[in-house]
Coordinates of all heavy atoms in Angstrom, one line a residue:
M643 N -1.3 -53.8 4.4 CA -2.3 -54.7 3.9 C -3.7 -54.0 4.0 O -4.0 -53.4 5.0 CB -2.3 -56.0 4.7 CG -1.2 -56.9 4.4 SD -1.2 -57.4 2.7 CE 0.2 -58.5 2.7
K644 N -4.6 -54.3 3.0 CA -5.9 -53.8 3.0 C -6.9 -55.0 3.1 O -6.5 -56.1 2.7 CB -6.2 -53.1 1.8 CG -5.6 -51.7 1.7 CD -6.6 -50.8 1.2 CE -6.1 -49.4 1.3 NZ -7.2 -48.4 1.5
D645 N -8.0 -54.8 3.7 CA -9.1 -55.8 3.8 C -10.2 -55.5 2.7 O -10.5 -54.3 2.6 CB -9.7 -55.9 5.1 CG -8.8 -56.4 6.2 OD1 -7.9 -57.3 5.9 OD2 -8.8 -55.9 7.3
L646 N -10.7 -56.5 2.1 CA -11.7 -56.3 1.1 C -12.7 -57.4 1.2 O -12.4 -58.6 1.4 CB -11.1 -56.4 -0.3 CG -12.0 -56.3 -1.5 CD1 -12.6 -55.0 -1.7 CD2 -11.1 -56.7 -2.8
T647 N -14.0 -57.0 1.1 CA -15.1 -58.1 1.1 C -15.9 -57.9 -0.2 O -16.3 -56.8 -0.5 CB -16.0 -57.9 2.3 OG1 -15.3 -58.1 3.5 CG2 -17.2 -58.9 2.3
L648 N -15.9 -59.0 -0.9 CA -16.7 -59.0 -2.2 C -17.9 -59.8 -2.1 O -17.9 -60.9 -1.4 CB -15.8 -59.6 -3.3 CG -14.4 -59.0 -3.5 CD1 -13.5 -60.0 -4.2 CD2 -14.6 -57.7 -4.3
T649 N -19.0 -59.4 -2.7 CA -20.2 -60.2 -2.8 C -20.1 -61.0 -4.1 O -20.0 -60.3 -5.2 CB -21.5 -59.4 -2.7 OG1 -21.4 -58.7 -1.5 CG2 -22.7 -60.2 -2.8
V650 N -20.2 -62.3 -4.1 CA -20.0 -63.1 -5.3 C -21.2 -64.0 -5.5 O -21.6 -64.7 -4.5 CB -18.7 -63.9 -5.2 CG1 -18.5 -64.8 -6.4 CG2 -17.5 -63.0 -5.0
Q651 N -21.7 -64.1 -6.7 CA -22.8 -65.0 -7.0 C -22.3 -66.2 -7.8 O -21.4 -66.0 -8.6 CB -23.9 -64.2 -7.8 CG -24.7 -63.2 -6.9 CD -25.8 -62.6 -7.7 OE1 -25.8 -62.5 -8.9 NE2 -26.7 -62.0 -7.0
G652 N -23.0 -67.3 -7.6 CA -22.7 -68.5 -8.4 C -21.9 -69.5 -7.7 O -21.8 -70.6 -8.2
M653 N -21.5 -69.3 -6.5 CA -20.7 -70.3 -5.7 C -21.7 -71.2 -5.0 O -22.6 -70.6 -4.3 CB -19.8 -69.6 -4.7 CG -18.8 -68.7 -5.3 SD -17.6 -68.0 -4.1 CE -18.7 -67.1 -3.0
S654 N -21.6 -72.5 -5.1 CA -22.6 -73.4 -4.5 C -22.0 -74.6 -3.9 O -22.7 -75.4 -3.3 CB -23.6 -73.8 -5.6 OG -22.9 -74.5 -6.6
C655 N -20.7 -74.8 -3.9 CA -20.1 -76.0 -3.4 C -18.6 -75.8 -3.0 O -18.0 -74.8 -3.2 CB -20.2 -77.2 -4.4 SG -19.2 -76.9 -5.9
G656 N -18.1 -76.9 -2.5 CA -16.7 -76.9 -2.1 C -15.7 -76.6 -3.2 O -14.7 -76.0 -3.1
H657 N -16.1 -77.1 -4.4 CA -15.2 -76.9 -5.6 C -15.2 -75.4 -5.9 O -14.2 -74.9 -6.3 CB -15.7 -77.7 -6.8 CG -15.0 -77.4 -8.0 ND1 -13.7 -77.8 -8.2 CD2 -15.4 -76.7 -9.1 CE1 -13.3 -77.3 -9.4 NE2 -14.3 -76.7 -10.0
C658 N -16.3 -74.7 -5.8 CA -16.4 -73.3 -6.0 C -15.5 -72.6 -5.1 O -14.7 -71.7 -5.5 CB -17.8 -72.8 -5.8 SG -19.1 -73.6 -6.9
V659 N -15.5 -72.9 -3.8 CA -14.6 -72.3 -2.8 C -13.1 -72.5 -3.2 O -12.4 -71.6 -3.2 CB -14.9 -72.9 -1.4 CG1 -13.8 -72.4 -0.4 CG2 -16.3 -72.5 -0.9
S660 N -12.8 -73.7 -3.6 CA -11.4 -74.0 -4.0 C -11.0 -73.3 -5.2 O -9.9 -72.8 -5.3 CB -11.2 -75.5 -4.2 OG -11.5 -76.3 -3.1
S661 N -11.9 -73.1 -6.2 CA -11.6 -72.4 -7.4 C -11.3 -70.9 -7.1 O -10.3 -70.4 -7.6 CB -12.8 -72.5 -8.4 OG -12.9 -73.8 -8.8
V662 N -12.1 -70.3 -6.3 CA -12.0 -68.9 -6.0 C -10.7 -68.7 -5.2 O -9.9 -67.8 -5.5 CB -13.2 -68.3 -5.3 CG1 -12.9 -66.9 -4.7 CG2 -14.4 -68.3 -6.2
E663 N -10.5 -69.5 -4.1 CA -9.3 -69.4 -3.3 C -8.1 -69.6 -4.1 O -7.1 -68.9 -4.0 CB -9.4 -70.4 -2.1 CG -10.4 -70.0 -1.1 CD -10.5 -71.0 0.1 OE1 -10.1 -72.1 -0.1 OE2 -11.1 -70.6 1.1
G664 N -8.1 -70.6 -4.9 CA -6.9 -70.9 -5.7 C -6.5 -69.8 -6.7 O -5.4 -69.4 -6.8
A665 N -7.6 -69.3 -7.4 CA -7.3 -68.2 -8.3 C -6.7 -66.9 -7.6 O -5.8 -66.3 -8.1 CB -8.6 -67.8 -9.1
L666 N -7.3 -66.6 -6.5 CA -6.8 -65.4 -5.8 C -5.5 -65.6 -5.1 O -4.6 -64.7 -5.2 CB -7.8 -65.0 -4.7 CG -9.2 -64.5 -5.2 CD1 -10.1 -64.1 -4.1 CD2 -9.0 -63.3 -6.2
N667 N -5.2 -66.8 -4.6 CA -3.9 -67.1 -4.0 C -2.8 -67.1 -5.0 O -1.6 -67.0 -4.7 CB -3.9 -68.4 -3.2 CG -4.6 -68.2 -1.9 OD1 -4.4 -67.2 -1.2 ND2 -5.4 -69.1 -1.5
Q668 N -3.1 -67.2 -6.3 CA -2.1 -67.1 -7.4 C -1.6 -65.7 -7.7 O -0.6 -65.5 -8.3 CB -2.6 -67.8 -8.6 CG -2.7 -69.3 -8.5 CD -3.1 -69.9 -9.8 OE1 -3.3 -69.3 -10.8 NE2 -3.3 -71.2 -9.8
L669 N -2.4 -64.7 -7.2 CA -2.1 -63.3 -7.5 C -1.0 -62.9 -6.5 O -1.1 -63.1 -5.3 CB -3.3 -62.4 -7.4 CG -4.5 -62.7 -8.3 CD1 -5.7 -61.8 -8.0 CD2 -4.0 -62.4 -9.8
D670 N 0.0 -62.2 -7.0 CA 1.0 -61.6 -6.2 C 0.4 -60.5 -5.4 O -0.3 -59.6 -5.9 CB 2.1 -61.0 -7.0 CG 3.3 -60.6 -6.2 OD1 3.6 -61.1 -5.1 OD2 4.0 -59.6 -6.6
G671 N 0.6 -60.5 -4.1 CA 0.0 -59.5 -3.2 C -1.2 -59.9 -2.4 O -1.6 -59.2 -1.5
I672 N -1.6 -61.1 -2.6 CA -2.8 -61.7 -1.8 C -2.1 -62.4 -0.6 O -1.3 -63.3 -0.8 CB -3.6 -62.6 -2.6 CG1 -4.2 -61.9 -3.8 CG2 -4.7 -63.3 -1.7 CD1 -5.3 -60.9 -3.5
S673 N -2.6 -62.0 0.6 CA -2.0 -62.7 1.8 C -3.0 -63.7 2.4 O -2.6 -64.6 3.1 CB -1.5 -61.7 2.8 OG -2.6 -60.9 3.3
E674 N -4.3 -63.4 2.2 CA -5.3 -64.3 2.9 C -6.6 -64.2 2.1 O -7.0 -63.1 1.6 CB -5.5 -63.8 4.3 CG -6.4 -64.7 5.1 CD -6.6 -64.2 6.5 OE1 -5.6 -63.6 7.1 OE2 -7.6 -64.5 7.1
V675 N -7.3 -65.4 1.9 CA -8.6 -65.4 1.3 C -9.5 -66.3 2.1 O -9.1 -67.4 2.5 CB -8.5 -66.0 -0.2 CG1 -9.8 -66.2 -0.8 CG2 -7.5 -65.2 -1.0
N676 N -10.7 -65.8 2.4 CA -11.7 -66.6 3.1 C -13.0 -66.5 2.4 O -13.5 -65.4 2.1 CB -11.9 -66.1 4.5 CG -10.6 -66.4 5.4 OD1 -10.2 -67.5 5.5 ND2 -10.1 -65.3 5.9
V677 N -13.5 -67.7 1.9 CA -14.8 -67.7 1.2 C -15.9 -68.2 2.2 O -15.7 -69.2 2.8 CB -14.7 -68.6 0.0 CG1 -16.1 -68.7 -0.7 CG2 -13.6 -68.1 -1.0
N678 N -17.0 -67.4 2.3 CA -18.1 -67.8 3.1 C -19.2 -68.2 2.0 O -19.9 -67.3 1.5 CB -18.6 -66.7 4.0 CG -19.8 -67.1 4.8 OD1 -20.7 -67.8 4.4 ND2 -19.7 -66.6 6.1
L679 N -19.3 -69.5 1.8 CA -20.2 -70.0 0.8 C -21.7 -69.6 1.1 O -22.4 -69.2 0.2 CB -20.1 -71.5 0.7 CG -20.7 -72.2 -0.5 CD1 -20.2 -71.7 -1.8 CD2 -20.4 -73.7 -0.4
G680 N -22.1 -69.7 2.4 CA -23.5 -69.5 2.8 C -23.9 -68.0 2.5 O -25.0 -67.8 2.1
E681 N -23.0 -67.1 2.7 CA -23.3 -65.7 2.6 C -22.9 -65.2 1.2 O -23.3 -64.0 0.8 CB -22.6 -64.9 3.6 CG -23.1 -65.1 5.0 CD -22.5 -64.2 6.1 OE1 -21.8 -63.2 5.7 OE2 -22.6 -64.5 7.3
G682 N -22.2 -66.0 0.4 CA -21.7 -65.5 -0.9 C -20.7 -64.4 -0.8 O -20.7 -63.5 -1.6
K683 N -19.9 -64.4 0.2 CA -18.9 -63.4 0.5 C -17.5 -64.0 0.3 O -17.2 -65.1 0.7 CB -19.0 -62.8 1.9 CG -20.4 -62.2 2.2 CD -20.6 -60.9 1.5 CE -21.9 -60.3 2.0 NZ -22.2 -59.1 1.3
V684 N -16.6 -63.1 -0.2 CA -15.2 -63.5 -0.2 C -14.4 -62.3 0.5 O -14.5 -61.2 0.0 CB -14.7 -63.6 -1.7 CG1 -13.2 -63.9 -1.8 CG2 -15.5 -64.7 -2.4
D685 N -13.7 -62.7 1.5 CA -12.8 -61.7 2.2 C -11.4 -61.9 1.8 O -10.9 -63.1 1.8 CB -12.9 -62.0 3.8 CG -14.3 -61.7 4.3 OD1 -14.9 -60.7 3.9 OD2 -14.8 -62.5 5.1
V686 N -10.7 -60.8 1.5 CA -9.4 -60.8 1.0 C -8.5 -59.8 1.7 O -8.9 -58.7 1.9 CB -9.4 -60.5 -0.5 CG1 -8.0 -60.6 -1.1 CG2 -10.3 -61.4 -1.3
K687 N -7.3 -60.3 2.1 CA -6.3 -59.3 2.6 C -5.3 -59.2 1.5 O -4.8 -60.3 1.0 CB -5.6 -59.9 3.8 CG -6.4 -59.7 5.1 CD -5.6 -60.1 6.3 CE -6.4 -60.1 7.6 NZ -6.6 -58.8 8.1
Y688 N -5.0 -58.0 1.1 CA -4.1 -57.8 -0.1 C -3.2 -56.6 0.1 O -3.5 -55.7 0.9 CB -4.9 -57.7 -1.3 CG -5.7 -56.5 -1.5 CD1 -5.3 -55.4 -2.3 CD2 -6.9 -56.3 -0.8 CE1 -6.0 -54.3 -2.4 CE2 -7.6 -55.1 -0.9 CZ -7.2 -54.1 -1.7 OH -7.9 -52.9 -1.8
D689 N -2.1 -56.6 -0.7 CA -1.2 -55.4 -0.7 C -1.6 -54.6 -1.9 O -1.3 -55.1 -3.1 CB 0.2 -56.0 -0.8 CG 1.3 -54.9 -0.8 OD1 0.9 -53.7 -1.1 OD2 2.5 -55.2 -0.6
E690 N -2.1 -53.4 -1.7 CA -2.6 -52.6 -2.8 C -1.5 -52.1 -3.7 O -1.7 -51.7 -4.9 CB -3.4 -51.5 -2.3 CG -2.7 -50.5 -1.5 CD -3.6 -49.4 -1.0 OE1 -4.6 -49.0 -1.6 OE2 -3.3 -48.9 0.1
A691 N -0.2 -52.2 -3.3 CA 0.9 -51.9 -4.1 C 1.2 -53.0 -5.1 O 1.9 -52.7 -6.1 CB 2.1 -51.6 -3.3
K692 N 0.7 -54.2 -4.9 CA 1.0 -55.3 -5.8 C -0.1 -55.8 -6.6 O 0.1 -56.4 -7.7 CB 1.6 -56.5 -4.9 CG 2.9 -56.2 -4.3 CD 3.4 -57.4 -3.5 CE 4.8 -57.1 -2.9 NZ 5.3 -58.3 -2.2
V693 N -1.4 -55.6 -6.1 CA -2.5 -56.1 -6.8 C -3.7 -55.1 -6.6 O -3.8 -54.5 -5.5 CB -2.9 -57.5 -6.3 CG1 -3.3 -57.5 -4.9 CG2 -4.0 -58.2 -7.2
S694 N -4.5 -55.0 -7.6 CA -5.6 -54.0 -7.6 C -6.9 -54.8 -7.3 O -7.0 -56.0 -7.5 CB -5.7 -53.2 -8.9 OG -6.2 -54.1 -9.9
V695 N -7.9 -54.0 -6.9 CA -9.2 -54.6 -6.7 C -9.8 -55.1 -8.0 O -10.4 -56.2 -8.1 CB -10.2 -53.6 -6.1 CG1 -11.6 -54.1 -6.1 CG2 -9.8 -53.1 -4.7
E696 N -9.5 -54.4 -9.1 CA -9.9 -54.9 -10.4 C -9.3 -56.2 -10.8 O -10.0 -57.1 -11.3 CB -9.6 -53.9 -11.5 CG -10.2 -54.2 -12.9 CD -11.7 -54.3 -12.9 OE1 -12.4 -53.6 -12.1 OE2 -12.3 -55.1 -13.7
Q697 N -8.0 -56.4 -10.5 CA -7.4 -57.7 -10.7 C -8.0 -58.8 -9.9 O -8.1 -60.0 -10.4 CB -5.9 -57.6 -10.4 CG -5.1 -56.8 -11.5 CD -3.7 -56.5 -11.0 OE1 -3.4 -56.0 -9.9 NE2 -2.7 -56.9 -11.8
I698 N -8.3 -58.5 -8.7 CA -9.0 -59.5 -7.8 C -10.3 -59.9 -8.4 O -10.7 -61.1 -8.5 CB -9.1 -58.9 -6.4 CG1 -7.7 -58.8 -5.7 CG2 -10.0 -59.8 -5.5 CD1 -7.7 -58.0 -4.5
K699 N -11.1 -58.9 -8.8 CA -12.4 -59.1 -9.4 C -12.3 -60.0 -10.7 O -13.0 -60.9 -10.8 CB -13.1 -57.8 -9.7 CG -14.5 -57.9 -10.4 CD -15.0 -56.6 -10.8 CE -16.2 -56.7 -11.7 NZ -16.1 -57.6 -12.9
E700 N -11.3 -59.6 -11.5 CA -11.1 -60.4 -12.8 C -10.8 -61.8 -12.5 O -11.2 -62.7 -13.2 CB -10.1 -59.7 -13.6 CG -10.5 -58.4 -14.3 CD -9.4 -57.7 -15.0 OE1 -8.3 -58.3 -15.2 OE2 -9.6 -56.5 -15.4
A701 N -10.0 -62.1 -11.5 CA -9.6 -63.5 -11.2 C -10.8 -64.3 -10.8 O -10.9 -65.5 -11.1 CB -8.5 -63.5 -10.0
I702 N -11.7 -63.7 -10.0 CA -13.0 -64.4 -9.7 C -13.8 -64.6 -10.9 O -14.4 -65.7 -11.1 CB -13.7 -63.6 -8.5 CG1 -12.8 -63.7 -7.3 CG2 -15.1 -64.3 -8.3 CD1 -13.4 -62.8 -6.2
D703 N -14.0 -63.5 -11.7 CA -14.8 -63.6 -12.9 C -14.3 -64.7 -13.8 O -15.1 -65.4 -14.4 CB -14.7 -62.3 -13.7 CG -15.5 -61.1 -13.0 OD1 -16.4 -61.4 -12.2 OD2 -15.3 -60.0 -13.4
E704 N -13.0 -64.8 -14.0 CA -12.4 -65.9 -14.8 C -12.7 -67.3 -14.4 O -12.6 -68.2 -15.2 CB -10.9 -65.7 -14.9 CG -10.5 -64.5 -15.8 CD -9.0 -64.1 -15.7 OE1 -8.2 -64.9 -15.1 OE2 -8.6 -63.1 -16.3
Q705 N -13.0 -67.5 -13.1 CA -13.4 -68.8 -12.6 C -14.9 -69.1 -12.9 O -15.4 -70.1 -12.6 CB -13.1 -68.9 -11.1 CG -11.7 -68.8 -10.8 CD -10.8 -69.8 -11.5 OE1 -11.1 -71.0 -11.5 NE2 -9.8 -69.3 -12.2
G706 N -15.6 -68.1 -13.4 CA -17.0 -68.3 -13.8 C -18.0 -67.8 -12.8 O -19.2 -68.1 -12.8
Y707 N -17.6 -67.0 -11.8 CA -18.4 -66.4 -10.8 C -18.6 -64.9 -11.0 O -17.8 -64.3 -11.6 CB -17.9 -66.7 -9.4 CG -17.6 -68.2 -9.2 CD1 -16.3 -68.7 -9.3 CD2 -18.6 -69.1 -9.2 CE1 -16.0 -70.0 -9.2 CE2 -18.4 -70.5 -9.1 CZ -17.1 -70.9 -9.1 OH -16.8 -72.3 -9.0
D708 N -19.7 -64.4 -10.5 CA -20.0 -63.0 -10.7 C -19.8 -62.2 -9.4 O -20.5 -62.4 -8.4 CB -21.4 -62.8 -11.2 CG -21.7 -63.5 -12.5 OD1 -20.9 -63.3 -13.4 OD2 -22.8 -64.1 -12.6
V709 N -18.8 -61.2 -9.5 CA -18.7 -60.3 -8.4 C -19.7 -59.2 -8.6 O -19.7 -58.5 -9.6 CB -17.3 -59.6 -8.4 CG1 -17.1 -58.6 -7.3 CG2 -16.2 -60.7 -8.3
V710 N -20.7 -59.2 -7.7 CA -21.8 -58.3 -7.9 C -21.7 -57.0 -7.0 O -22.4 -56.0 -7.3 CB -23.2 -59.0 -7.6 CG1 -23.4 -60.0 -8.6 CG2 -23.2 -59.5 -6.2
A711 N -20.8 -57.0 -6.1 CA -20.6 -55.7 -5.3 C -19.3 -55.8 -4.6 O -18.8 -56.8 -4.1 CB -21.7 -55.6 -4.2
Y712 N -18.7 -54.6 -4.5 CA -17.5 -54.5 -3.6 C -17.4 -53.0 -3.2 O -17.9 -52.1 -3.9 CB -16.2 -55.0 -4.4 CG -15.9 -54.3 -5.6 CD1 -15.0 -53.2 -5.7 CD2 -16.3 -54.8 -6.9 CE1 -14.7 -52.6 -6.9 CE2 -15.9 -54.2 -8.1 CZ -15.1 -53.1 -8.1 OH -14.8 -52.5 -9.2
P713 N -16.7 -52.8 -2.1 CA -16.5 -51.4 -1.6 C -15.9 -50.5 -2.6 O -15.0 -50.9 -3.3 CB -15.7 -51.5 -0.4 CG -15.9 -53.0 0.1 CD -16.0 -53.7 -1.2
L714 N -16.3 -49.3 -2.6 CA -15.7 -48.3 -3.5 C -14.4 -47.8 -2.9 O -14.4 -47.3 -1.8 CB -16.7 -47.1 -3.6 CG -16.2 -46.0 -4.5 CD1 -16.1 -46.5 -6.0 CD2 -17.2 -44.8 -4.4
L715 N -13.3 -48.0 -3.6 CA -12.0 -47.7 -3.1 C -11.4 -46.5 -3.8 O -10.3 -46.1 -3.5 CB -11.1 -48.9 -3.2 CG -11.6 -50.2 -2.5 CD1 -10.6 -51.3 -2.8 CD2 -11.6 -49.9 -1.0
T716 N -12.1 -46.0 -4.8 CA -11.5 -44.8 -5.5 C -12.6 -43.7 -5.5 O -13.5 -43.8 -4.7 CB -11.2 -45.2 -7.0 OG1 -12.4 -45.7 -7.6 CG2 -10.1 -46.3 -7.0
S717 N -12.4 -42.7 -6.3 CA -13.3 -41.6 -6.3 C -14.8 -42.1 -6.6 O -15.1 -42.9 -7.4 CB -12.9 -40.6 -7.4 OG -14.0 -39.7 -7.7
P718 N -15.7 -41.5 -5.8 CA -17.1 -41.9 -6.0 C -17.7 -41.4 -7.3 O -18.9 -41.6 -7.6 CB -17.8 -41.3 -4.8 CG -17.0 -40.2 -4.4 CD -15.6 -40.6 -4.7
F719 N -17.0 -40.6 -8.0 CA -17.5 -40.0 -9.2 C -17.2 -40.8 -10.5 O -17.7 -40.3 -11.6 CB -16.9 -38.5 -9.4 CG -17.2 -37.7 -8.2 CD1 -16.2 -37.4 -7.3 CD2 -18.5 -37.3 -7.9 CE1 -16.4 -36.6 -6.2 CE2 -18.7 -36.5 -6.8 CZ -17.7 -36.2 -5.9
I720 N -16.5 -41.9 -10.4 CA -16.2 -42.6 -11.6 C -17.2 -43.8 -11.7 O -16.9 -44.9 -11.4 CB -14.7 -43.1 -11.7 CG1 -14.3 -43.8 -10.4 CG2 -13.8 -42.0 -12.0 CD1 -13.0 -44.5 -10.5
L721 N -18.3 -43.5 -12.3 CA -19.3 -44.5 -12.5 C -19.9 -44.3 -13.9 O -20.1 -43.2 -14.4 CB -20.5 -44.4 -11.5 CG -20.1 -44.5 -10.0 CD1 -21.3 -44.2 -9.1 CD2 -19.6 -45.9 -9.7
S722 N -20.1 -45.4 -14.6 CA -20.6 -45.3 -16.0 C -21.2 -46.7 -16.4 O -21.0 -47.7 -15.7 CB -19.5 -44.9 -16.9 OG -18.5 -46.0 -17.0
G723 N -21.9 -46.6 -17.5 CA -22.5 -47.9 -18.1 C -23.3 -48.6 -17.1 O -24.3 -48.1 -16.6
D724 N -22.9 -49.8 -16.8 CA -23.7 -50.7 -15.9 C -23.3 -50.6 -14.4 O -23.7 -51.4 -13.6 CB -23.6 -52.1 -16.3 CG -24.3 -52.4 -17.7 OD1 -25.2 -51.7 -18.0 OD2 -23.9 -53.4 -18.4
L725 N -22.6 -49.6 -14.1 CA -22.2 -49.4 -12.7 C -23.0 -48.3 -12.0 O -23.2 -47.2 -12.6 CB -20.7 -49.0 -12.6 CG -19.7 -50.0 -13.2 CD1 -18.3 -49.4 -13.1 CD2 -19.8 -51.3 -12.5
F726 N -23.3 -48.5 -10.8 CA -24.0 -47.4 -10.0 C -23.5 -47.5 -8.6 O -23.1 -48.5 -8.1 CB -25.5 -47.4 -10.2 CG -26.2 -48.6 -9.7 CD1 -26.8 -48.6 -8.4 CD2 -26.3 -49.7 -10.5 CE1 -27.4 -49.7 -7.9 CE2 -27.0 -50.8 -10.0 CZ -27.5 -50.8 -8.7
L727 N -23.7 -46.4 -7.8 CA -23.2 -46.3 -6.5 C -24.4 -46.4 -5.5 O -25.4 -45.7 -5.6 CB -22.5 -45.0 -6.3 CG -21.9 -44.7 -4.9 CD1 -20.8 -45.7 -4.7 CD2 -21.3 -43.3 -4.9
S728 N -24.3 -47.3 -4.6 CA -25.3 -47.4 -3.5 C -25.1 -46.4 -2.5 O -24.0 -45.8 -2.4 CB -25.3 -48.8 -2.9 OG -24.3 -48.9 -1.9
P729 N -26.1 -46.2 -1.6 CA -25.9 -45.2 -0.5 C -24.8 -45.5 0.4 O -24.3 -44.6 1.2 CB -27.2 -45.2 0.2 CG -28.2 -45.8 -0.7 CD -27.4 -46.7 -1.6
H730 N -24.3 -46.7 0.4 CA -23.2 -47.1 1.3 C -21.9 -47.2 0.6 O -21.0 -48.0 1.1 CB -23.6 -48.5 2.0 CG -24.8 -48.4 2.8 ND1 -25.0 -47.7 3.9 CD2 -26.1 -48.9 2.5 CE1 -26.2 -47.8 4.4 NE2 -26.9 -48.5 3.5
N731 N -21.7 -46.5 -0.5 CA -20.5 -46.5 -1.2 C -20.1 -47.9 -1.7 O -18.9 -48.3 -1.7 CB -19.3 -45.9 -0.5 CG -19.5 -44.4 -0.3 OD1 -20.2 -43.8 -1.1 ND2 -18.8 -43.8 0.6
I732 N -21.0 -48.6 -2.2 CA -20.8 -50.0 -2.8 C -21.1 -49.9 -4.3 O -22.1 -49.3 -4.7 CB -21.7 -51.0 -2.2 CG1 -21.6 -51.1 -0.7 CG2 -21.5 -52.4 -2.8 CD1 -20.3 -51.7 -0.2
I733 N -20.2 -50.3 -5.1 CA -20.4 -50.4 -6.5 C -21.2 -51.6 -6.8 O -20.9 -52.7 -6.4 CB -19.1 -50.5 -7.3 CG1 -18.3 -49.2 -7.1 CG2 -19.3 -50.7 -8.8 CD1 -16.9 -49.2 -7.8
L734 N -22.3 -51.4 -7.5 CA -23.2 -52.5 -7.9 C -23.2 -52.6 -9.4 O -23.1 -51.7 -10.1 CB -24.6 -52.3 -7.4 CG -24.7 -52.1 -5.9 CD1 -26.1 -51.6 -5.5 CD2 -24.3 -53.3 -5.1
F735 N -23.3 -53.9 -9.9 CA -23.3 -54.1 -11.3 C -24.7 -54.5 -11.7 O -25.4 -55.3 -11.0 CB -22.3 -55.3 -11.7 CG -20.9 -55.0 -11.3 CD1 -20.5 -55.3 -10.0 CD2 -20.1 -54.4 -12.2 CE1 -19.2 -55.0 -9.7 CE2 -18.8 -54.1 -11.9 CZ -18.3 -54.4 -10.6
R736 N -25.2 -54.0 -12.8 CA -26.5 -54.4 -13.3 C -26.4 -55.7 -14.1 O -25.5 -56.0 -14.7 CB -27.1 -53.3 -14.2 CG -27.7 -52.2 -13.4 CD -28.5 -51.3 -14.3 NE -27.8 -50.0 -14.2 CZ -28.1 -49.0 -14.9 NH1 -29.1 -49.1 -15.8 NH2 -27.5 -47.9 -14.8

C-alpha cells in the first residue's frame, strides 16, 4: 500500500467531504480515505497495482473539485503544458 496526500480546492462542507470520500472509495485499490476540510487535504492509502494517482485525481475532479498539487510519483522530467515542478517534487497545476 502507498500513502498519498493531495491538495484539493473547492471543498467547503460535509457534503464535499462525503462526495470525495464516496468517489474514491468506489475505486478498486483504495483502502482508506481521510479528508481534512480545514487544510484542503485528502489522504489516501491505495494499491498502486490496482489504481493510479491519475485515476484518483480524476475521481476527485469528476466531483467538481480541483486537485492542485500532489507528490511526484514518476520521473521528474515529464512535465508539459500547465504542469510544473516545485522544489519539493510537487506537481502544481496552473
Side-chain angles (χ1 to χ4, degrees):
M643 287 295 184
K644 287 224 170 211
D645 292 325
L646 173 69
T647 298
L648 304 159
T649 301
V650 180
Q651 290 182 339
M653 301 183 300
S654 61
C655 64
H657 174 73
C658 301
V659 172
S660 296
S661 294
V662 170
E663 288 176 345
L666 294 179
N667 283 319
Q668 288 182 5
L669 297 174
D670 187 32
I672 300 292
S673 64
E674 187 177 331
V675 177
N676 292 302
V677 177
N678 183 320
L679 193 58
E681 293 184 14
K683 303 283 186 188
V684 178
D685 295 318
V686 182
K687 282 189 186 281
Y688 70 102
D689 181 344
E690 64 184 331
K692 293 182 178 180
V693 64
S694 70
V695 173
E696 188 60 31
Q697 288 171 306
I698 294 169
K699 179 188 172 303
E700 286 175 10
I702 295 170
D703 287 343
E704 287 173 3
Q705 297 305 306
Y707 308 105
D708 297 317
V709 177
V710 295
Y712 60 89
L714 182 63
L715 301 176
T716 58
S717 167
F719 303 107
I720 51 172
L721 300 175
S722 64
D724 289 336
L725 300 178
F726 63 97
L727 184 64
S728 80
H730 301 288
N731 290 338
I732 302 290
I733 294 177
L734 303 172
F735 300 87
R736 281 192 243 176

